[in-house]
Amino acid sequence: MNPSRFVLAAGTAAASVLLLSGPAFAHVGVQPVGQAAQGGYATVNVKVPNERDNASTVKVEVNFPLDHPLASVMPQPVPGWKVEVTKSDLDKPLTLHGKQISQAVSKVTWTADGSKIGPGQFQQFPLSLGQLPEDTDQLVLKAIQTYDNKEVVRWIEEQKGTEEPQNPAPVLKLSPAGEDHHGAAATSAAPSASASADAKGAEGASGDHAGTETAAASSTDTTARVLGGAGIVVGIAGVAFGILAGRRRSA
């Protein structure tokens, strides 16, 4: 192979690896623990990465759509953060377990209280949600991230086509309702007991799986860094080989 072509190929491979190993999904997102089924209850993690190398995240606000209201949104305590749940009046009351609900959670706000999300770090904020709507396959949870240098990033853009917007809003995908996901038919049979059991189960699941989610994310980051380092080594080796081959031909 022509040495110059080899160098070019090696450099391209290294650059590709570096691009692939860069920060992926470096925006606020929402991830269900297990499955989030229509008409059921779910535990989700709001994942907040810190995208700045000179500031720390000190406030996170997640907004819930009132056109698909949730009767219950319960945050799990996160050490070093205080949480506030805001409710708003509904234009059309919800009927849940035979009771009418005139208010629903419209916003959850976490504010740093002895802790921050520093550069190169992320934090997960667990929530128990229910009853999930049956008339949509996703919930758009617009988020606002505030840094300690007063910078505010609004993750509120909804994706319209195939191209992801610059500041995409977190989206919770809902799977079709099933018999084992506490749908409307199942909950109507045992109103109060079912709601209480689902909520407690969701809270417990959050504690069990939050560590697993964090470990998985850490493993992914480590793998990406290793691949990035390997790409650099390949590129350097290619350049060295090209120079050496050129010298031999000249000799």
Side-chain angles (χ1 to χ4, degrees):
M1 174 185 270
N2 186 302
S4 60
R5 290 184 180 178
F6 180 86
V7 172
L8 178 60
T12 301
S16 299
V17 172
L18 288 176
L19 287 173
L20 291 172
S21 63
F25 308 106
H27 51 71
V28 175
V30 58
Q31 303 170 335
V33 178
Q35 196 171 23
Q38 295 171 326
Y41 293 79
T43 297
V44 303
N45 287 318
V46 177
K47 185 176 180 180
V48 184
N50 191 81
E51 293 191 310
R52 303 294 180 260
D53 57 8
N54 60 349
S56 297
T57 298
V58 293
K59 186 178 180 181
V60 178
E61 174 186 312
V62 175
N63 295 275
F64 291 83
L66 291 181
D67 56 342
H68 296 292
L70 299 176
S72 175
V73 177
M74 295 187 295
Q76 178 176 311
V78 177
W81 296 80
K82 61 181 181 180
V83 61
E84 179 182 359
V85 178
T86 303
K87 292 185 176 183
S88 297
D89 294 330
L90 297 175
D91 294 333
K92 183 180 179 180
L94 284 174
T95 300
L96 184 65
H97 305 311
K99 296 182 179 180
Q100 279 202 336
I101 299 173
S102 60
Q103 288 188 325
V105 173
S106 57
K107 180 172 62 177
V108 177
T109 305
W110 292 271
T111 305
D113 186 24
S115 182
K116 296 180 179 180
I117 308 174
Q121 299 178 342
F122 76 93
Q123 176 65 53
Q124 294 192 126
F125 299 95
L127 291 170
S128 174
L129 307 179
Q131 185 175 352
L132 298 173
E134 298 178 314
D135 56 351
T136 183
D137 60 359
Q138 67 177 30
L139 290 176
V140 178
L141 310 179
K142 297 182 178 181
I144 299 176
Q145 182 177 13
T146 303
Y147 290 88
D148 56 8
N149 63 355
K150 307 304 181 183
E151 180 186 3
V152 177
V153 181
R154 301 179 183 277
W155 304 99
I156 61 174
E157 299 177 31
E158 297 187 42
Q159 186 167 338
K160 301 299 184 182
T162 57
E163 185 176 351
E164 185 180 67
Q166 182 176 356
N167 292 321
V171 176
L172 175 63
K173 299 290 186 179
L174 304 182
S175 60
E179 294 181 358
D180 58 340
H181 293 298
H182 308 289
T187 53
S188 61
S192 301
S194 177
S196 175
D198 286 333
K200 290 180 180 179
E203 288 178 326
S206 176
D208 293 339
H209 292 282
T212 303
E213 290 285 336
T214 303
S218 175
S219 175
T220 301
D221 292 342
T222 301
T223 303
R225 290 173 184 171
V226 170
L227 289 174
I232 294 174
V233 171
V234 170
I236 294 174
V239 172
F241 179 83
I243 295 173
L244 180 59
R247 288 179 176 176
R248 288 179 176 175
R249 292 186 62 183
S250 298

